[in-house]
Amino acid sequence: MRDWRPFCYGGVASVIAECGTFPIDTTKTRLQIQGQKIDAQHAQLKYRGMMHAVIRISSEEGLRSLYSGIAPALLRQASYGTIKIGIYHSMKRYFCADPKDESLLVNVFCGIVAGVVSSSLANPTDVLKVRMQAQGHSSEQLGVFQSFKDIYTKEGVKGLWRGVSCTAQRAGIVVGVELPIYDLAKYLFIHKYGIMGDTPSTHFISSSIAGLAGAIASNPVDVVKTRMMNQRKLKGKQAKAIYSSSVQCLVQTVRTEGFFALYKGFIPTWVRLGPWNVIFFMAYEQLNKVY
């Protein structure tokens, strides 16, 4: 039973972290999809920054809009978080039976594999989350299962796995950076330098470092992923999508909006990943100790 603990704890901790940081994720999504251009013409931006987006969404659409897409987000974390942490820790123990023998390179490899596999399997829930966040709360918004059915009926199976390559790339980067960095920071603080013990303070600092590193590494891929998932391509329709592939999306975004468009939503990404990682790792560590 012990081998299943990382799977269970990872899923529970992921759901807890998602509940506490979801409104920030909504503002990040809105910031990332605004300003999309087919050519170099200027487009008016609705939101000037994270706080402006929070205030405007709340005032124009209501506070509930900040939680649009929370159901598929929790469903995603219950699947993605469970598989991700389970695979990561299982692979680490396969390569290194003793935690003291772990190496950064091996942990990065384990993190990349865990991120790619788990995010690919959970992609439909991610697509629905992005669509619901972009739309906001309205009377026309369908429920979770109806929305899944709507995407499948109008866009086919491809619609449910829209942007899966970007999702896998981003998850590979995020997990390949965050989990090994967290493990490394904790090892340095506790074992190598002995300046801290295995306490919540150590978990807090290590997870904060991991969150910052993950945000810097993943934001460009996250922008591309969000834009690819947000566009609809209906079956049998000849309407041309804005982006034909993740590479074309990346190139067009830089060409028409500049390099720093790849860091749209960075502040909410960082603000979210920081607390998300803190909540997740501290919840995970406590579950690990209690049970």
Side-chain angles (χ1 to χ4, degrees):
M1 178 62 185
R2 186 173 180 80
D3 291 338
W4 288 98
R5 290 182 181 181
F7 289 88
C8 298
Y9 300 165
V12 173
S14 296
V15 168
I16 293 173
E18 191 73 10
C19 289
T21 60
F22 192 77
I24 304 173
D25 188 49
T26 298
T27 62
K28 179 209 71 172
T29 298
R30 295 290 187 92
L31 288 167
Q32 288 179 337
I33 62 175
Q34 73 171 355
Q36 299 177 79
K37 310 168 196 175
I38 299 178
D39 52 41
Q41 295 179 354
H42 291 288
Q44 185 176 1
L45 301 182
K46 186 175 182 179
Y47 310 114
R48 296 193 297 270
M50 186 182 76
M51 291 308 301
H52 181 253
V54 171
I55 295 171
R56 187 159 184 177
I57 293 171
S58 301
S59 61
E60 294 181 356
E61 305 172 37
L63 290 174
R64 291 181 63 183
S65 283
L66 292 174
Y67 278 90
S68 292
I70 184 64
L74 295 180
L75 184 60
R76 175 181 181 271
Q77 289 301 338
S79 54
Y80 168 68
T82 299
I83 300 170
K84 173 185 69 177
I85 300 301
I87 290 179
Y88 176 70
H89 283 281
S90 297
M91 287 187 67
K92 283 204 308 175
R93 294 290 73 81
Y94 175 79
F95 288 113
C96 304
D98 189 340
K100 296 180 181 179
D101 296 331
E102 292 179 10
S103 70
L104 181 60
L105 183 61
V106 170
N107 287 0
V108 168
F109 173 74
C110 295
I112 291 173
V113 173
V116 169
V117 173
S118 58
S119 63
S120 297
L121 293 175
N123 196 79
T125 58
D126 208 6
V127 171
L128 185 55
K129 176 181 76 76
V130 168
R131 298 277 181 90
M132 294 180 75
Q133 285 178 318
Q135 181 183 359
H137 179 75
S138 68
S139 59
E140 298 179 357
Q141 190 177 78
L142 302 175
V144 175
F145 295 106
Q146 291 85 354
S147 296
F148 274 126
K149 182 179 179 181
D150 181 67
I151 295 174
Y152 175 75
T153 302
K154 296 180 179 179
E155 303 175 55
V157 175
K158 289 184 177 180
L160 294 172
W161 266 269
R162 179 92 53 213
V164 66
S165 61
C166 299
T167 305
Q169 291 164 16
R170 178 188 179 275
I173 292 172
V174 171
V175 182
V177 170
E178 286 182 350
L179 297 186
I181 289 295
Y182 175 79
D183 287 341
L184 176 62
K186 197 168 71 165
Y187 169 78
L188 292 176
F189 291 142
I190 298 173
H191 300 291
K192 186 169 183 178
Y193 298 115
I195 57 177
M196 303 181 77
D198 190 7
T199 63
S201 297
T202 304
H203 305 154
F204 178 86
I205 296 174
S206 299
S207 57
S208 298
I209 295 172
L212 175 59
I216 294 173
S218 68
N219 204 87
V221 181
D222 193 36
V223 170
V224 174
K225 175 190 78 78
T226 299
R227 292 187 171 196
M228 289 292 293
M229 286 184 169
N230 188 55
Q231 68 178 3
R232 292 173 66 89
K233 190 176 182 181
L234 306 182
K235 294 189 294 184
K237 300 293 184 179
Q238 299 300 317
K240 185 178 180 181
I242 300 176
Y243 312 114
S244 59
S245 68
S246 58
V247 175
Q248 192 262 340
C249 177
L250 175 69
V251 172
Q252 182 168 306
T253 298
V254 173
R255 185 178 69 245
T256 59
E257 301 172 56
F259 173 79
F260 288 103
L262 296 176
Y263 278 89
K264 281 186 174 182
F266 175 76
I267 297 300
T269 296
W270 180 22
V271 170
R272 177 177 182 267
L273 277 180
W276 197 99
N277 276 278
V278 169
I279 296 171
F280 168 79
F281 282 114
M282 294 188 74
Y284 181 85
E285 296 283 5
Q286 291 307 307
L287 286 168
N288 220 14
K289 286 184 177 181
V290 171
Y291 296 103

